[in-house]
Amino acid sequence: MTSIDNKPISVGTRLGAMFLDHFFMTIIAMIFVLPGLISNFSDASRISHEQEDFIRVDSSIKYMLAIGLALYFCKDIINGRSIAKRILRLQVVDNATGRVATPRQSFVRNIFCILWPIEVIIAITNTSRRFGDRVAGTKLVHYGRALEQPSINIGKTLLPLIISYSLLVLLMHLSPSPSVSMQKTNYSETSYNQAESKELERLIIDSLGEYMAPDIRIYDTVKNENLKYVSTILKLKRNFISENFKYNWIHEKTTTLIYSRLPKETFTGQIKYVYQGNGQFQKRTTTIGTYIQLKDKK
């Protein structure tokens, strides 16, 4: 026989539980994602001729985010009590039996957190049973010591986590990819053309030296393509990056000069515009020359 405190849960307590749950679980999710974000930021602030994949999202960050979200959906799987519910002395129980909700029930009820506006409205009108509770057959009650707490079954506890993570990863793979993607150009490093590189640098310095300092590398050989590869770093003396009309102006000036020496159809490459000054670091990368279509892998 179970004993439940049937005293109504106040609206303030119910909303407080939802807010605190979101707060704590967001922090936990960020713990998994933050190292990858810091690494990406560090990479972004490094100035080098390394090629950039312009629309790639670091896959490691996506997988770590999936772990954080899986934990979010499984926040109540240990005896029906998330961090917030332990603070506010609440617990999720089976609506029919009054026993502590199973990990499976807790997982099912929390999937519906994605419908948070609807869940908030329902929680205000019925503080014990939001929509997820109705689907999972659960309800929220005041925690009582007299309520029998089941021992933790590792298998039953881990199963919702595994299912949640697997579903999230599957959704990531099924989500549509951008229609256009950039592949890194496979050029020969031994084909570096120092003389032509310096000539192009001199051309830019003579015309735009008051605005930038160029660092250019031209390679004569690109695998399977009759093209050169041109990597250009332009260290700006003024911030032309933060405002589009300034960026468009300097980009047009720069590419016009480059194409006057190297016709567009003869090369592929990238330009990195970099501005460092007054405590700011900004970088903007774009392609130049001929776009190489992605080859289908066989």
Side-chain angles (χ1 to χ4, degrees):
M1 215 36 209
T2 58
S3 177
I4 297 177
D5 182 352
N6 289 312
K7 180 182 176 182
I9 298 171
S10 69
V11 172
T13 299
R14 186 68 189 91
L15 294 180
M18 297 178 80
F19 171 78
L20 286 176
D21 266 336
H22 180 71
F23 175 76
F24 286 124
M25 298 312 298
T26 298
I27 290 177
I28 290 172
M30 287 305 298
I31 289 174
F32 286 92
V33 176
L34 197 56
L37 292 176
I38 293 174
S39 176
N40 272 16
F41 179 79
S42 176
D43 291 343
S45 62
R46 187 174 67 248
I47 305 172
S48 74
H49 282 277
E50 182 179 355
Q51 296 180 68
E52 295 190 11
D53 193 347
F54 297 97
I55 52 178
R56 178 182 62 86
V57 176
D58 194 321
S59 60
S60 64
I61 293 180
K62 292 195 295 185
Y63 289 124
M64 296 307 288
L65 177 61
I67 293 175
L69 291 174
L71 290 173
Y72 194 115
F73 293 135
C74 296
K75 56 189 170 66
D76 299 312
I77 61 175
I78 299 179
N79 287 341
R81 305 186 74 197
S82 61
I83 297 174
K85 292 179 180 65
R86 292 175 188 275
I87 292 173
L88 297 175
R89 299 187 63 78
L90 300 172
Q91 189 166 30
V92 181
V93 300
D94 185 288
N95 185 56
T97 66
R99 294 175 180 172
V100 175
T102 65
R104 177 187 59 79
Q105 286 178 301
S106 296
F107 166 58
V108 171
R109 77 184 290 273
N110 285 325
I111 290 176
F112 294 90
C113 287
I114 59 177
L115 304 175
W116 66 266
I118 297 173
E119 290 288 55
V120 169
I121 293 172
I122 295 176
I124 291 174
T125 58
N126 186 337
T127 55
S128 290
R129 302 197 76 197
R130 55 180 175 82
F131 183 68
D133 287 299
R134 298 173 191 275
V135 175
T138 58
K139 65 179 177 181
L140 189 65
V141 299
H142 290 283
Y143 172 72
R145 292 183 180 275
L147 184 61
E148 182 182 355
Q149 305 299 309
S151 59
I152 298 175
N153 183 307
I154 299 298
K156 290 183 178 180
T157 302
L158 289 179
L159 184 59
L161 278 168
I162 295 171
I163 292 174
S164 179
Y165 179 77
S166 300
L167 288 174
L168 288 165
V169 171
L170 179 62
L171 286 173
M172 288 179 182
H173 284 288
L174 292 178
S175 59
S177 300
S179 58
V180 177
S181 181
M182 291 299 302
Q183 66 175 348
K184 292 186 177 181
T185 304
N186 189 0
Y187 63 90
S188 170
E189 293 189 10
T190 59
S191 67
Y192 172 57
N193 189 327
Q194 184 176 19
E196 193 170 10
S197 300
K198 295 304 178 184
E199 287 178 9
L200 186 54
E201 283 183 3
R202 175 51 54 190
L203 176 65
I204 293 177
I205 290 172
D206 290 344
S207 300
L208 299 172
E210 64 179 300
Y211 304 120
M212 63 182 67
D215 176 8
I216 299 174
R217 296 182 185 178
I218 299 176
Y219 299 87
D220 290 330
T221 305
V222 174
K223 185 177 180 181
N224 298 327
E225 301 288 345
N226 187 25
L227 297 169
K228 296 177 182 286
Y229 176 74
V230 180
S231 176
T232 304
I233 296 176
L234 301 176
K235 297 180 180 179
L236 301 174
K237 298 177 182 179
R238 306 178 194 174
N239 190 348
F240 289 95
I241 299 176
S242 58
E243 298 180 46
N244 281 333
F245 77 93
K246 291 182 179 179
Y247 168 76
N248 291 335
W249 180 82
I250 199 67
H251 182 61
E252 181 180 0
K253 292 285 186 183
T254 304
T255 53
T256 298
L257 279 175
I258 293 173
Y259 293 147
S260 71
R261 181 62 58 87
L262 294 169
K264 186 174 182 179
E265 65 274 9
T266 64
F267 76 97
T268 186
Q270 66 178 15
I271 297 180
K272 291 184 182 181
Y273 294 93
V274 180
Y275 176 74
Q276 288 180 295
N278 301 321
Q280 299 180 56
F281 177 88
Q282 289 184 279
K283 182 172 72 173
R284 191 160 177 172
T285 305
T286 188
T287 56
I288 52 173
T290 298
Y291 171 69
I292 299 177
Q293 295 289 337
L294 286 170
K295 306 293 191 302
D296 291 332
K297 294 183 179 180
K298 307 219 175 169

